[in-house]
Amino acid sequence: SSATIWAVNDRGESEAIFDAEADEQVLAIGPSPDAKQVAAIIAWDDGRASSLVVLDASGDLIEEIDLPGEAAATPVPAQTGSSNISVDWSPQGDKILVLAGNGALLTVAAEPDATLEPINLGDADGVILEPAWSPTGQQIAFLRGDPETRTRSLAVHDLRTDETTDLVGPADGRIVVEFAWEPGGKEILFT
């Protein structure tokens, strides 16, 4: 919920592992691949400030990283049904991907005292939506929304080469609604 992070076990029993302060709000959460940690973006001061927190499975704080002021800005408009603030762990559990409120993509190593690293998408236009690591952790796929035409395209950014490739877009006569990596990381399914 917007003020509490809950853990639910396989018997359906739930436990609150994080309760936000009165002026805080949980904007996004993402569990680590081994389910021993959870990362969350917490905002306060009416969304003008935010941080990435990493908690262990019982809710104890492991790390808190303040997001840059511009990353805590009021979220850019997303298309209906899409979140433009998100957290995703790499499949190896060694990095966390953050989509900040201003549309910036950032990564941070999952280790103490790590710093946020911006991902350079070049001259990519549009609003970044729903970024997701590839199963190999070497690429990030995302939807790129155009608020003016209300269209979406599917793009992939290669972290090794720093290149972004548009895979499917309105020019192909298709508008991408959602996508998922296939387990081997060589193909992406999309609707």
Side-chain angles (χ1 to χ4, degrees):
S1 63
S2 65
T4 305
I5 298 174
W6 296 87
V8 181
N9 66 25
D10 57 0
R11 293 180 304 280
E13 302 162 341
S14 61
E15 173 187 7
I17 63 168
F18 177 84
D19 286 312
E21 300 292 326
D23 64 339
E24 295 177 337
Q25 183 177 12
V26 179
L27 300 180
I29 60 172
S32 65
D34 63 6
K36 293 183 180 179
Q37 298 178 30
V38 63
I41 297 178
I42 310 297
W44 63 93
D45 194 18
D46 291 326
R48 290 186 286 274
S50 62
S51 63
L52 173 70
V53 297
V54 179
L55 310 168
D56 68 15
S58 64
D60 291 332
L61 181 67
I62 295 173
E63 187 78 20
E64 182 170 5
I65 303 168
D66 287 335
L67 295 175
E70 64 274 6
T74 302
V76 293
Q79 295 176 358
T80 304
S82 297
S83 172
N84 63 325
I85 296 177
S86 66
V87 177
D88 190 29
W89 288 74
S90 66
Q92 298 75 19
D94 61 342
K95 289 189 176 185
I96 302 169
L97 176 67
V98 174
L99 175 58
N102 66 350
L105 274 177
L106 309 160
T107 61
V108 62
E111 59 189 41
D113 302 320
T115 58
L116 291 165
E117 301 289 332
I119 296 176
N120 181 3
L121 297 176
D123 60 351
D125 292 333
V127 177
I128 305 298
L129 303 168
E130 303 174 25
W133 289 98
S134 69
T136 64
Q138 297 172 342
Q139 296 173 307
I140 297 167
F142 58 92
L143 297 177
R144 186 188 335 247
D146 183 337
E148 290 182 22
T149 62
R150 299 185 58 81
T151 59
R152 291 179 175 190
S153 58
L154 174 61
V156 172
H157 181 78
D158 191 306
L159 295 165
R160 297 165 297 170
T161 64
D162 227 15
E163 292 181 17
T164 302
T165 304
D166 287 324
L167 298 179
V168 179
D172 300 315
R174 297 177 282 195
I175 296 175
V176 180
V177 176
E178 62 183 338
F179 70 91
W181 286 96
E182 58 86 21
K186 294 184 181 190
E187 294 182 346
I188 298 175
L189 306 172
F190 70 92
T191 57

